[in-house]
Amino acid sequence: MQNSPKLFEHLNWANLRILERLRSGEAGSHPKAVGLFAHILQAERIWLTRLQGKDSSALTVWPEADLDFCGRMAERNHEDYTAYLAGLTAAEWDRVLRDTNQSGKVFDTSVGDILTHVALHGQYHRGQINALLRATDTEPVNVDFITFVREKNGA
């Protein structure tokens, strides 16, 4: 649990770096990269909805969205995850949550494992976005955790 806030600070930092690159011109016109980014943000929203004990079935996993949507969603997710994590106790970290995925399948998973998944899931797809950028001769975005830590520490 102690690393969770830092992982989510990194998640937000990485999302904002990807958003900036996609807004910078050529990269933003790549529909697959924008689609992957919208998916990252929507998945974050879906998982938070489930963590809050709400039904996420109305949320689509692969939304058709533009960069304005992505910017609003990144900001909203950051605010809402920050608030959620601030209220999370050590006991809740191990609490098993019964949730239903978008296909109607039921799972029992700990809150901590869900939060770890959210942080890792976004990093996976940001890597895919970077591969798409490189394939179009656009410089990929450094979203490495160690870069985040070093920047945060002023190195």
Side-chain angles (χ1 to χ4, degrees):
M1 181 170 145
Q2 73 187 49
N3 284 333
S4 189
K6 187 181 273 187
L7 287 176
F8 278 82
E9 288 175 38
H10 169 260
L11 178 151
N12 182 61
W13 172 87
N15 280 346
L16 293 178
R17 288 177 71 115
I18 290 288
L19 180 62
E20 181 181 341
R21 181 60 52 84
L22 293 177
R23 283 181 169 163
S24 71
E26 279 294 313
S29 65
H30 197 301
K32 189 163 185 173
V34 174
L36 282 166
F37 190 48
H39 167 71
I40 292 169
L41 298 165
Q42 186 77 341
E44 290 172 10
R45 176 58 38 189
I46 287 169
W47 281 111
L48 184 60
T49 300
R50 293 176 189 167
L51 286 165
Q52 294 170 328
K54 300 175 186 171
D55 179 15
S56 68
S57 63
L59 299 172
T60 181
V61 177
W62 292 94
E64 292 197 24
D66 60 15
L67 289 176
D68 288 336
F69 167 89
C70 291
R72 289 189 308 275
M73 186 63 79
E75 183 178 336
R76 181 177 173 210
N77 286 350
H78 174 63
E79 291 170 1
D80 292 349
Y81 270 101
T82 299
Y84 178 80
L85 291 169
L88 194 63
T89 67
E92 290 168 334
W93 183 259
D94 293 324
R95 180 175 58 91
V96 173
L97 177 74
R98 173 160 285 185
D99 70 278
T100 305
N101 72 7
Q102 304 317 92
S103 301
K105 191 168 180 182
V106 177
F107 295 93
D108 294 323
T109 313
S110 75
V111 168
D113 286 343
I114 289 170
L115 290 169
T116 300
H117 167 73
V118 172
L120 296 174
H121 173 263
Q123 196 65 349
Y124 169 77
H125 287 301
R126 284 187 288 274
Q128 290 179 312
I129 292 168
N130 272 332
L132 289 168
L133 294 178
R134 184 167 299 284
T136 59
D137 295 323
T138 302
E139 185 67 26
V141 183
N142 182 342
V143 291
D144 289 344
F145 181 77
I146 198 68
T147 302
F148 161 74
V149 170
R150 289 173 179 163
E151 283 186 11
K152 185 176 176 178
N153 293 334

